[in-house]
């Protein structure tokens, strides 16, 4: 690695072979994302998040997180239109093992997001290339 | 109700306010596409896809912030630093759309409100701070890390307050026990903590990319000038 290890000024130019190195960088980044979504996600906190916990303030909530009474922001919350999606709530319906279910849903989500996002950005990219770049 | 992400569900905001935010989000995203196209080239396009996929992954990683309360990264500051404000807002939006349509995270009718808070407000506030901080801080990994951290904290709190505004405009429940001011305070409190977590993740990520491939960090592009001068031997 030719990166500076001390707190040296950051430079924004790549010395050599940017195209191929970018491909490897993208693949490496994707691998990290797949590990995070596929494995590390199983160790994420299951507590309600900041918005959810504020949304139930003023209401009584049972063990399943269902609102049982009172007055709070989340009182009229309704199920998502996608509640019947096979990937609903970051699991895969029909897979009993929760680690496998969450992990596979995470992997699918990363690949889907990369495909949709990368595809749209590729289509939307400007075709105007710097003059010195040889295709 | 499964404990899902920091995304508004259906039915929390009323129809008119949801629709207004839907229109705001559509117009803003169309503008982001037209501005972002100038930035998107053969190198930035795959990088932007990676940033979206990475944000999706890290949004699954809820970390505890208080007993019984968690949070996860929103990603606006990280995206703005890596791929710029226009493409960055689009990256976060792609994540929110995939989450709403496929993972039942955040209502589809609330998508405009969620995009406004997390993709638009989050990225815009973050980028304003980034533009300011990168001018005053040293152009070192430490300076970049501090920028990522501060921009994340402020952007996350701003996004949470944008939700409070939406609820004030069109919340579906008249709160009996809590005022909107109390909700704003609660949201600000938890989201400062969530922002600190996000800031640490964003700082580590952006500094890692900057050390490996500084040319892939959008926010460092404007800093190319002194480097060229150095390369020409004009200044050491």
């Amino acid at each position: 690695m030719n990166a500076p290890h001390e707190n040296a000024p950051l430079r924004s130019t790549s010395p050599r072979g940017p195209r191929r190195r970018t491909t490897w960088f993208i693949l490496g980044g994707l691998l990290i994302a797949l590990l995070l979504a596929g494995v590390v996600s199983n160790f994420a906190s299951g507590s309600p998040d900041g918005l959810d916990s504020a949304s139930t303030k003023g209401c009584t909530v049972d063990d399943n997180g269902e609102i049982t009474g009172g007055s709070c922001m989340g009182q009229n919350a309704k199920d998502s239109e996608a509640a019947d999606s096979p990937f609903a709530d970051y699991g895969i319906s029909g897979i009993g093992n929760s680690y496998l279910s969450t992990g596979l849903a995470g992997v699918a989500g990363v690949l889907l997001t990369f495909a949709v996002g990368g595809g749209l950005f590729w289509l939307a990219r400007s075709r105007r290339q710097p003059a010195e770049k040889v295709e | 109700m499964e404990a899902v992400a920091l995304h508004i569900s259906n039915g929390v905001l009323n129809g008119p306010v949801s629709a207004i935010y839907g229109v705001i989000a559509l117009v803003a995203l169309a503008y982001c596409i037209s501005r972002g196209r100038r930035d998107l080239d053969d190198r930035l396009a795959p990088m932007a896809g990676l940033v979206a996929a990475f944000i999706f992954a890290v949004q699954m990683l809820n970390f505890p912030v208080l007993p019984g309360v968690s949070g996860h990264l929103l990603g606006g500051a990280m995206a703005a630093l890596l791929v710029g404000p226009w493409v960055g807002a689009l990256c976060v939006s792609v994540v929110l759309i995939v989450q709403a349509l496929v993972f039942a995270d955040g209502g589809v009718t609330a998508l405009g409100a969620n995009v406004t808070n997390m993709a638009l407000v989050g990225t815009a506030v973050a980028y304003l701070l980034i533009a300011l901080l990168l001018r005053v801080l040293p152009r070192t990994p430490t300076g970049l890390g501090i920028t990522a951290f501060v921009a994340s904290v402020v952007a996350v709190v701003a996004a949470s307050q944008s939700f409070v505004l939406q609820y004030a405009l069109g919340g579906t429940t008249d709160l009996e026990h809590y005022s909107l001011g109390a909700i704003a305070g609660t949201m600000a409190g938890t989201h400062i903590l969530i922002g600190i977590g996000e800031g640490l993740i964003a700082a580590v990520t952006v500094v890692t990319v900057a050390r490996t491939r500084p040319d892939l960090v959008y926010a460092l592009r404007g800093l190319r000038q002194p480097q060229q001068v150095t390369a020409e031997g004009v200044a050491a």
Side-chain angles (χ1 to χ4, degrees):
Chain A
M1 204 163 83
N2 61 350
H5 290 282
E6 75 287 12
N7 207 14
L10 293 159
R11 305 205 159 140
S12 63
T13 44
S14 175
R16 54 186 135 81
R19 178 69 59 88
R20 183 187 286 180
R21 288 181 62 212
T22 301
T23 305
W24 283 109
F25 181 89
I26 300 290
L27 289 176
L30 263 185
L31 185 65
I32 294 170
L34 288 170
L35 285 173
L36 292 176
V39 180
V40 184
S41 58
N42 277 298
F43 304 96
S45 166
S47 299
D49 63 41
L51 177 59
D52 279 328
S53 85
S55 295
T56 53
K57 246 184 170 0
C59 284
T60 49
V61 176
D62 68 15
D63 291 342
N64 294 322
E66 300 285 351
I67 292 167
T68 51
S71 155
C72 58
M73 291 195 294
Q75 206 164 9
N76 297 321
K78 291 174 184 61
D79 266 349
S80 159
E81 294 84 347
D84 296 328
S85 157
F87 294 107
D89 298 323
Y90 301 92
I92 296 183
S93 55
I95 296 185
N97 183 321
S98 72
Y99 290 98
L100 199 59
S101 175
T102 304
L104 288 176
V107 166
V110 166
L111 294 177
L112 181 65
T113 308
F114 182 73
V116 171
L120 288 175
F121 292 130
W122 189 256
L123 289 176
R125 80 191 189 283
S126 149
R127 308 291 158 93
R128 180 172 45 87
Q129 293 296 330
E132 71 273 15
K133 193 175 267 181
V134 179
E135 284 298 315
Chain B
M1 196 172 73
E2 181 89 359
V4 288
L6 293 158
H7 302 6
I8 306 163
S9 302
N10 288 323
V12 174
L13 301 172
N14 66 28
V17 165
S18 300
I20 288 167
Y21 275 100
V23 172
I24 292 172
L26 274 178
V27 172
L29 290 182
Y31 186 68
C32 285
I33 291 172
S34 75
R35 293 295 301 265
R37 284 193 71 162
R38 296 179 209 167
D39 292 336
L40 282 167
D41 55 19
D42 285 6
R43 190 155 13 146
L44 194 72
M47 182 65 185
L50 173 61
V51 167
F54 189 79
I55 290 173
F56 178 91
V58 181
Q59 286 209 355
M60 286 183 76
L61 309 180
N62 280 58
F63 47 85
V65 292
L66 288 172
V69 183
S70 74
H72 65 68
L73 166 140
L74 305 185
M78 186 165 81
L81 277 162
L82 291 176
V83 295
W86 314 109
V87 178
L90 294 172
C91 285
V92 181
S93 301
V94 166
V95 172
L96 296 173
I97 291 166
V98 168
Q99 287 170 331
L101 296 182
V102 180
F103 293 89
D105 189 4
V108 175
T109 62
L111 200 45
N114 279 320
V115 165
T116 302
N117 298 344
M118 290 183 267
L120 303 178
V121 172
T123 309
V125 169
Y127 198 72
L128 290 176
L129 275 163
I130 290 165
L132 179 76
L133 290 173
L134 284 184
R135 282 210 184 95
V136 295
L137 290 174
R139 290 161 186 182
T140 60
T142 309
L144 192 65
I146 292 171
T147 301
F149 181 82
V150 174
S152 295
V153 175
V154 179
V156 170
V157 174
S160 81
Q161 297 308 303
S162 172
F163 164 75
V164 176
L165 173 66
Q166 289 166 349
Y167 199 82
L169 293 173
T172 53
T173 315
D174 289 322
L175 302 173
E176 291 167 16
H177 312 291
Y178 286 88
S179 66
L180 270 169
I183 293 291
T186 304
M187 288 289 282
T190 51
H191 284 79
I192 286 171
L193 300 173
I194 293 169
I196 289 172
E198 159 150 3
L200 295 174
I201 297 171
V204 169
T205 305
V206 174
V207 169
T208 302
V209 177
R211 281 184 186 280
T212 319
R213 287 292 302 273
D215 58 308
L216 290 179
V217 180
Y218 182 95
L220 294 178
R221 284 185 184 184
L223 311 179
R224 202 172 285 178
Q225 211 56 41
Q227 163 69 7
Q228 282 172 350
V229 172
T230 308
E232 288 156 11
V234 174

mmCIF file of all heavy atoms in Angstrom, chain B residues 68-109:
data_model
loop_
_atom_site.group_PDB
_atom_site.id
_atom_site.type_symbol
_atom_site.label_atom_id
_atom_site.label_comp_id
_atom_site.label_asym_id
_atom_site.label_seq_id
_atom_site.Cartn_x
_atom_site.Cartn_y
_atom_site.Cartn_z
ATOM 1 N N GLY B 68 -32.396 0.594 25.805
ATOM 2 C CA GLY B 68 -33.639 0.368 25.081
ATOM 3 C C GLY B 68 -33.821 1.219 23.850
ATOM 4 O O GLY B 68 -34.876 1.174 23.220
ATOM 5 N N VAL B 69 -32.820 2.007 23.488
ATOM 6 C CA VAL B 69 -32.924 2.848 22.282
ATOM 7 C C VAL B 69 -31.676 2.623 21.420
ATOM 8 O O VAL B 69 -30.558 2.582 21.936
ATOM 9 C CB VAL B 69 -33.033 4.352 22.626
ATOM 10 C CG1 VAL B 69 -33.224 5.176 21.357
ATOM 11 C CG2 VAL B 69 -34.164 4.597 23.597
ATOM 12 N N SER B 70 -31.906 2.471 20.123
ATOM 13 C CA SER B 70 -30.773 2.264 19.221
ATOM 14 C C SER B 70 -30.820 3.307 18.103
ATOM 15 O O SER B 70 -31.689 4.178 18.079
ATOM 16 C CB SER B 70 -30.827 0.849 18.625
ATOM 17 O OG SER B 70 -31.854 0.772 17.653
ATOM 18 N N GLY B 71 -29.887 3.201 17.203
ATOM 19 C CA GLY B 71 -29.880 4.090 16.043
ATOM 20 C C GLY B 71 -28.944 3.529 15.008
ATOM 21 O O GLY B 71 -28.196 2.590 15.268
ATOM 22 N N HIS B 72 -29.032 4.072 13.817
ATOM 23 C CA HIS B 72 -28.094 3.647 12.778
ATOM 24 C C HIS B 72 -27.711 4.843 11.936
ATOM 25 O O HIS B 72 -28.350 5.899 11.986
ATOM 26 C CB HIS B 72 -28.691 2.540 11.914
ATOM 27 C CG HIS B 72 -29.879 2.987 11.113
ATOM 28 N ND1 HIS B 72 -29.807 3.887 10.085
ATOM 29 C CD2 HIS B 72 -31.182 2.668 11.232
ATOM 30 C CE1 HIS B 72 -30.998 4.082 9.587
ATOM 31 N NE2 HIS B 72 -31.868 3.371 10.270
ATOM 32 N N LEU B 73 -26.681 4.669 11.167
ATOM 33 C CA LEU B 73 -26.191 5.725 10.290
ATOM 34 C C LEU B 73 -27.262 6.112 9.259
ATOM 35 O O LEU B 73 -28.024 5.261 8.808
ATOM 36 C CB LEU B 73 -24.927 5.203 9.615
ATOM 37 C CG LEU B 73 -24.330 5.914 8.414
ATOM 38 C CD1 LEU B 73 -22.817 5.893 8.556
ATOM 39 C CD2 LEU B 73 -24.712 5.197 7.131
ATOM 40 N N LEU B 74 -27.311 7.404 8.924
ATOM 41 C CA LEU B 74 -28.189 7.822 7.829
ATOM 42 C C LEU B 74 -27.382 7.931 6.535
ATOM 43 O O LEU B 74 -27.845 7.569 5.466
ATOM 44 C CB LEU B 74 -28.847 9.166 8.149
ATOM 45 C CG LEU B 74 -29.635 9.257 9.461
ATOM 46 C CD1 LEU B 74 -30.315 10.613 9.575
ATOM 47 C CD2 LEU B 74 -30.667 8.147 9.570
ATOM 48 N N GLY B 75 -26.159 8.456 6.647
ATOM 49 C CA GLY B 75 -25.240 8.362 5.509
ATOM 50 C C GLY B 75 -25.054 9.614 4.680
ATOM 51 O O GLY B 75 -24.230 9.622 3.775
ATOM 52 N N GLY B 76 -25.811 10.693 4.985
ATOM 53 C CA GLY B 76 -25.728 11.879 4.148
ATOM 54 C C GLY B 76 -24.333 12.507 4.117
ATOM 55 O O GLY B 76 -23.832 12.863 3.055
ATOM 56 N N ALA B 77 -23.704 12.617 5.288
ATOM 57 C CA ALA B 77 -22.392 13.261 5.354
ATOM 58 C C ALA B 77 -21.344 12.419 4.627
ATOM 59 O O ALA B 77 -20.541 12.933 3.846
ATOM 60 C CB ALA B 77 -21.986 13.479 6.812
ATOM 61 N N MET B 78 -21.383 11.105 4.869
ATOM 62 C CA MET B 78 -20.429 10.204 4.227
ATOM 63 C C MET B 78 -20.581 10.264 2.703
ATOM 64 O O MET B 78 -19.596 10.359 1.963
ATOM 65 C CB MET B 78 -20.690 8.780 4.729
ATOM 66 C CG MET B 78 -19.696 7.769 4.270
ATOM 67 S SD MET B 78 -19.854 6.260 5.246
ATOM 68 C CE MET B 78 -21.237 5.487 4.432
ATOM 69 N N ALA B 79 -21.834 10.232 2.240
ATOM 70 C CA ALA B 79 -22.081 10.255 0.796
ATOM 71 C C ALA B 79 -21.628 11.583 0.198
ATOM 72 O O ALA B 79 -21.007 11.612 -0.868
ATOM 73 C CB ALA B 79 -23.562 10.015 0.513
ATOM 74 N N ALA B 80 -21.914 12.695 0.887
ATOM 75 C CA ALA B 80 -21.529 14.008 0.364
ATOM 76 C C ALA B 80 -20.013 14.120 0.255
ATOM 77 O O ALA B 80 -19.488 14.681 -0.710
ATOM 78 C CB ALA B 80 -22.088 15.115 1.254
ATOM 79 N N LEU B 81 -19.292 13.581 1.235
ATOM 80 C CA LEU B 81 -17.828 13.630 1.195
ATOM 81 C C LEU B 81 -17.279 12.772 0.057
ATOM 82 O O LEU B 81 -16.354 13.168 -0.637
ATOM 83 C CB LEU B 81 -17.244 13.141 2.520
ATOM 84 C CG LEU B 81 -17.165 14.182 3.638
ATOM 85 C CD1 LEU B 81 -16.999 13.506 4.989
ATOM 86 C CD2 LEU B 81 -16.004 15.133 3.379
ATOM 87 N N LEU B 82 -17.858 11.590 -0.145
ATOM 88 C CA LEU B 82 -17.276 10.636 -1.100
ATOM 89 C C LEU B 82 -17.684 10.926 -2.542
ATOM 90 O O LEU B 82 -16.865 10.777 -3.454
ATOM 91 C CB LEU B 82 -17.667 9.201 -0.725
ATOM 92 C CG LEU B 82 -17.027 8.664 0.556
ATOM 93 C CD1 LEU B 82 -17.563 7.275 0.876
ATOM 94 C CD2 LEU B 82 -15.511 8.631 0.442
ATOM 95 N N VAL B 83 -18.951 11.296 -2.765
ATOM 96 C CA VAL B 83 -19.410 11.455 -4.151
ATOM 97 C C VAL B 83 -20.059 12.812 -4.424
ATOM 98 O O VAL B 83 -20.594 13.029 -5.507
ATOM 99 C CB VAL B 83 -20.379 10.309 -4.566
ATOM 100 C CG1 VAL B 83 -19.654 8.978 -4.572
ATOM 101 C CG2 VAL B 83 -21.586 10.251 -3.656
ATOM 102 N N GLY B 84 -19.992 13.724 -3.452
ATOM 103 C CA GLY B 84 -20.535 15.062 -3.669
ATOM 104 C C GLY B 84 -21.990 15.163 -3.245
ATOM 105 O O GLY B 84 -22.665 14.152 -3.072
ATOM 106 N N PRO B 85 -22.477 16.393 -3.064
ATOM 107 C CA PRO B 85 -23.822 16.575 -2.512
ATOM 108 C C PRO B 85 -24.940 16.075 -3.423
ATOM 109 O O PRO B 85 -25.908 15.471 -2.950
ATOM 110 C CB PRO B 85 -23.910 18.087 -2.305
ATOM 111 C CG PRO B 85 -22.912 18.669 -3.248
ATOM 112 C CD PRO B 85 -21.795 17.663 -3.341
ATOM 113 N N TRP B 86 -24.821 16.296 -4.738
ATOM 114 C CA TRP B 86 -25.939 15.956 -5.631
ATOM 115 C C TRP B 86 -26.062 14.447 -5.786
ATOM 116 O O TRP B 86 -27.141 13.862 -5.576
ATOM 117 C CB TRP B 86 -25.740 16.610 -7.004
ATOM 118 C CG TRP B 86 -25.345 18.051 -6.892
ATOM 119 C CD1 TRP B 86 -24.120 18.594 -7.174
ATOM 120 C CD2 TRP B 86 -26.156 19.135 -6.408
ATOM 121 N NE1 TRP B 86 -24.130 19.938 -6.905
ATOM 122 C CE2 TRP B 86 -25.358 20.299 -6.449
ATOM 123 C CE3 TRP B 86 -27.473 19.225 -5.955
ATOM 124 C CZ2 TRP B 86 -25.836 21.551 -6.046
ATOM 125 C CZ3 TRP B 86 -27.960 20.469 -5.559
ATOM 126 C CH2 TRP B 86 -27.149 21.603 -5.607
ATOM 127 N N VAL B 87 -24.957 13.810 -6.139
ATOM 128 C CA VAL B 87 -24.981 12.354 -6.272
ATOM 129 C C VAL B 87 -25.171 11.703 -4.901
ATOM 130 O O VAL B 87 -25.844 10.685 -4.773
ATOM 131 C CB VAL B 87 -23.680 11.861 -6.947
ATOM 132 C CG1 VAL B 87 -23.663 10.348 -7.053
ATOM 133 C CG2 VAL B 87 -23.537 12.484 -8.328
ATOM 134 N N GLY B 88 -24.624 12.343 -3.856
ATOM 135 C CA GLY B 88 -24.774 11.801 -2.506
ATOM 136 C C GLY B 88 -26.233 11.711 -2.079
ATOM 137 O O GLY B 88 -26.685 10.700 -1.531
ATOM 138 N N ALA B 89 -26.992 12.774 -2.344
ATOM 139 C CA ALA B 89 -28.423 12.755 -2.011
ATOM 140 C C ALA B 89 -29.140 11.659 -2.803
ATOM 141 O O ALA B 89 -30.060 11.002 -2.296
ATOM 142 C CB ALA B 89 -29.046 14.118 -2.308
ATOM 143 N N LEU B 90 -28.704 11.444 -4.043
ATOM 144 C CA LEU B 90 -29.313 10.386 -4.857
ATOM 145 C C LEU B 90 -28.975 9.005 -4.292
ATOM 146 O O LEU B 90 -29.826 8.106 -4.277
ATOM 147 C CB LEU B 90 -28.834 10.499 -6.313
ATOM 148 C CG LEU B 90 -29.285 11.757 -7.060
ATOM 149 C CD1 LEU B 90 -28.594 11.860 -8.414
ATOM 150 C CD2 LEU B 90 -30.804 11.756 -7.247
ATOM 151 N N CYS B 91 -27.739 8.831 -3.800
ATOM 152 C CA CYS B 91 -27.341 7.551 -3.191
ATOM 153 C C CYS B 91 -28.248 7.212 -2.008
ATOM 154 O O CYS B 91 -28.769 6.099 -1.908
ATOM 155 C CB CYS B 91 -25.896 7.622 -2.677
ATOM 156 S SG CYS B 91 -24.649 7.545 -3.952
ATOM 157 N N VAL B 92 -28.420 8.183 -1.094
ATOM 158 C CA VAL B 92 -29.258 7.922 0.080
ATOM 159 C C VAL B 92 -30.697 7.643 -0.365
ATOM 160 O O VAL B 92 -31.373 6.770 0.177
ATOM 161 C CB VAL B 92 -29.196 9.099 1.077
ATOM 162 C CG1 VAL B 92 -30.056 8.818 2.305
ATOM 163 C CG2 VAL B 92 -27.753 9.377 1.495
ATOM 164 N N SER B 93 -31.170 8.354 -1.399
ATOM 165 C CA SER B 93 -32.540 8.149 -1.884
ATOM 166 C C SER B 93 -32.723 6.739 -2.455
ATOM 167 O O SER B 93 -33.762 6.103 -2.215
ATOM 168 C CB SER B 93 -32.881 9.173 -2.965
ATOM 169 O OG SER B 93 -32.743 10.476 -2.452
ATOM 170 N N VAL B 94 -31.730 6.263 -3.207
ATOM 171 C CA VAL B 94 -31.823 4.905 -3.750
ATOM 172 C C VAL B 94 -31.974 3.899 -2.610
ATOM 173 O O VAL B 94 -32.809 2.987 -2.663
ATOM 174 C CB VAL B 94 -30.570 4.568 -4.605
ATOM 175 C CG1 VAL B 94 -30.472 3.081 -4.894
ATOM 176 C CG2 VAL B 94 -30.592 5.350 -5.914
ATOM 177 N N VAL B 95 -31.184 4.094 -1.546
ATOM 178 C CA VAL B 95 -31.270 3.201 -0.388
ATOM 179 C C VAL B 95 -32.676 3.247 0.203
ATOM 180 O O VAL B 95 -33.298 2.208 0.465
ATOM 181 C CB VAL B 95 -30.219 3.591 0.679
ATOM 182 C CG1 VAL B 95 -30.420 2.798 1.963
ATOM 183 C CG2 VAL B 95 -28.813 3.382 0.141
ATOM 184 N N LEU B 96 -33.217 4.448 0.401
ATOM 185 C CA LEU B 96 -34.542 4.590 1.018
ATOM 186 C C LEU B 96 -35.624 3.965 0.148
ATOM 187 O O LEU B 96 -36.575 3.362 0.662
ATOM 188 C CB LEU B 96 -34.848 6.074 1.266
ATOM 189 C CG LEU B 96 -33.919 6.792 2.257
ATOM 190 C CD1 LEU B 96 -34.224 8.282 2.293
ATOM 191 C CD2 LEU B 96 -34.063 6.193 3.646
ATOM 192 N N ILE B 97 -35.495 4.087 -1.164
ATOM 193 C CA ILE B 97 -36.503 3.532 -2.068
ATOM 194 C C ILE B 97 -36.455 1.998 -2.043
ATOM 195 O O ILE B 97 -37.487 1.323 -1.942
ATOM 196 C CB ILE B 97 -36.294 4.089 -3.502
ATOM 197 C CG1 ILE B 97 -36.635 5.579 -3.529
ATOM 198 C CG2 ILE B 97 -37.163 3.334 -4.512
ATOM 199 C CD1 ILE B 97 -36.160 6.320 -4.773
ATOM 200 N N VAL B 98 -35.239 1.441 -2.102
ATOM 201 C CA VAL B 98 -35.111 -0.023 -2.012
ATOM 202 C C VAL B 98 -35.670 -0.515 -0.678
ATOM 203 O O VAL B 98 -36.417 -1.503 -0.615
ATOM 204 C CB VAL B 98 -33.631 -0.449 -2.186
ATOM 205 C CG1 VAL B 98 -33.426 -1.907 -1.807
ATOM 206 C CG2 VAL B 98 -33.166 -0.205 -3.615
ATOM 207 N N GLN B 99 -35.349 0.184 0.403
ATOM 208 C CA GLN B 99 -35.833 -0.229 1.725
ATOM 209 C C GLN B 99 -37.354 -0.192 1.799
ATOM 210 O O GLN B 99 -37.984 -1.104 2.345
ATOM 211 C CB GLN B 99 -35.239 0.683 2.809
ATOM 212 C CG GLN B 99 -33.763 0.422 3.062
ATOM 213 C CD GLN B 99 -33.154 1.473 3.953
ATOM 214 O OE1 GLN B 99 -33.592 2.629 3.967
ATOM 215 N NE2 GLN B 99 -32.125 1.093 4.698
ATOM 216 N N ALA B 100 -37.965 0.853 1.265
ATOM 217 C CA ALA B 100 -39.422 0.987 1.360
ATOM 218 C C ALA B 100 -40.130 -0.045 0.482
ATOM 219 O O ALA B 100 -41.124 -0.644 0.890
ATOM 220 C CB ALA B 100 -39.847 2.400 0.962
ATOM 221 N N LEU B 101 -39.618 -0.268 -0.739
ATOM 222 C CA LEU B 101 -40.326 -1.129 -1.684
ATOM 223 C C LEU B 101 -40.064 -2.613 -1.450
ATOM 224 O O LEU B 101 -40.930 -3.451 -1.689
ATOM 225 C CB LEU B 101 -39.936 -0.767 -3.122
ATOM 226 C CG LEU B 101 -40.313 0.633 -3.605
ATOM 227 C CD1 LEU B 101 -39.917 0.832 -5.060
ATOM 228 C CD2 LEU B 101 -41.812 0.888 -3.417
ATOM 229 N N VAL B 102 -38.864 -2.958 -0.987
ATOM 230 C CA VAL B 102 -38.504 -4.376 -0.886
ATOM 231 C C VAL B 102 -38.435 -4.857 0.558
ATOM 232 O O VAL B 102 -38.824 -5.979 0.864
ATOM 233 C CB VAL B 102 -37.149 -4.628 -1.600
ATOM 234 C CG1 VAL B 102 -36.755 -6.092 -1.516
ATOM 235 C CG2 VAL B 102 -37.223 -4.179 -3.056
ATOM 236 N N PHE B 103 -37.963 -4.010 1.469
ATOM 237 C CA PHE B 103 -37.730 -4.460 2.838
ATOM 238 C C PHE B 103 -38.777 -3.949 3.826
ATOM 239 O O PHE B 103 -38.629 -4.124 5.034
ATOM 240 C CB PHE B 103 -36.321 -4.059 3.281
ATOM 241 C CG PHE B 103 -35.255 -4.800 2.519
ATOM 242 C CD1 PHE B 103 -34.753 -4.307 1.329
ATOM 243 C CD2 PHE B 103 -34.800 -6.036 2.964
ATOM 244 C CE1 PHE B 103 -33.802 -5.007 0.607
ATOM 245 C CE2 PHE B 103 -33.853 -6.749 2.255
ATOM 246 C CZ PHE B 103 -33.352 -6.232 1.062
ATOM 247 N N ALA B 104 -39.835 -3.325 3.329
ATOM 248 C CA ALA B 104 -40.948 -2.852 4.159
ATOM 249 C C ALA B 104 -40.461 -1.937 5.275
ATOM 250 O O ALA B 104 -41.009 -1.918 6.369
ATOM 251 C CB ALA B 104 -41.739 -4.033 4.741
ATOM 252 N N ASP B 105 -39.375 -1.185 5.014
ATOM 253 C CA ASP B 105 -38.806 -0.282 6.009
ATOM 254 C C ASP B 105 -39.147 1.149 5.608
ATOM 255 O O ASP B 105 -38.568 1.706 4.677
ATOM 256 C CB ASP B 105 -37.289 -0.494 6.062
ATOM 257 C CG ASP B 105 -36.660 0.251 7.231
ATOM 258 O OD1 ASP B 105 -37.409 0.844 8.016
ATOM 259 O OD2 ASP B 105 -35.429 0.214 7.341
ATOM 260 N N GLY B 106 -40.088 1.747 6.327
ATOM 261 C CA GLY B 106 -40.578 3.075 5.965
ATOM 262 C C GLY B 106 -41.735 2.923 4.984
ATOM 263 O O GLY B 106 -41.656 2.155 4.030
ATOM 264 N N GLY B 107 -42.825 3.655 5.235
ATOM 265 C CA GLY B 107 -43.993 3.522 4.366
ATOM 266 C C GLY B 107 -43.737 4.115 2.987
ATOM 267 O O GLY B 107 -42.948 5.045 2.841
ATOM 268 N N VAL B 108 -44.414 3.551 1.985
ATOM 269 C CA VAL B 108 -44.273 4.102 0.635
ATOM 270 C C VAL B 108 -44.894 5.498 0.574
ATOM 271 O O VAL B 108 -44.342 6.403 -0.058
ATOM 272 C CB VAL B 108 -44.902 3.152 -0.415
ATOM 273 C CG1 VAL B 108 -44.863 3.790 -1.798
ATOM 274 C CG2 VAL B 108 -44.162 1.817 -0.433
ATOM 275 N N THR B 109 -46.011 5.710 1.298
ATOM 276 C CA THR B 109 -46.610 7.051 1.290
ATOM 277 C C THR B 109 -45.729 8.045 2.049
ATOM 278 O O THR B 109 -45.825 9.246 1.836
ATOM 279 C CB THR B 109 -48.013 7.064 1.928
ATOM 280 O OG1 THR B 109 -47.892 6.663 3.305
ATOM 281 C CG2 THR B 109 -48.966 6.136 1.216
#
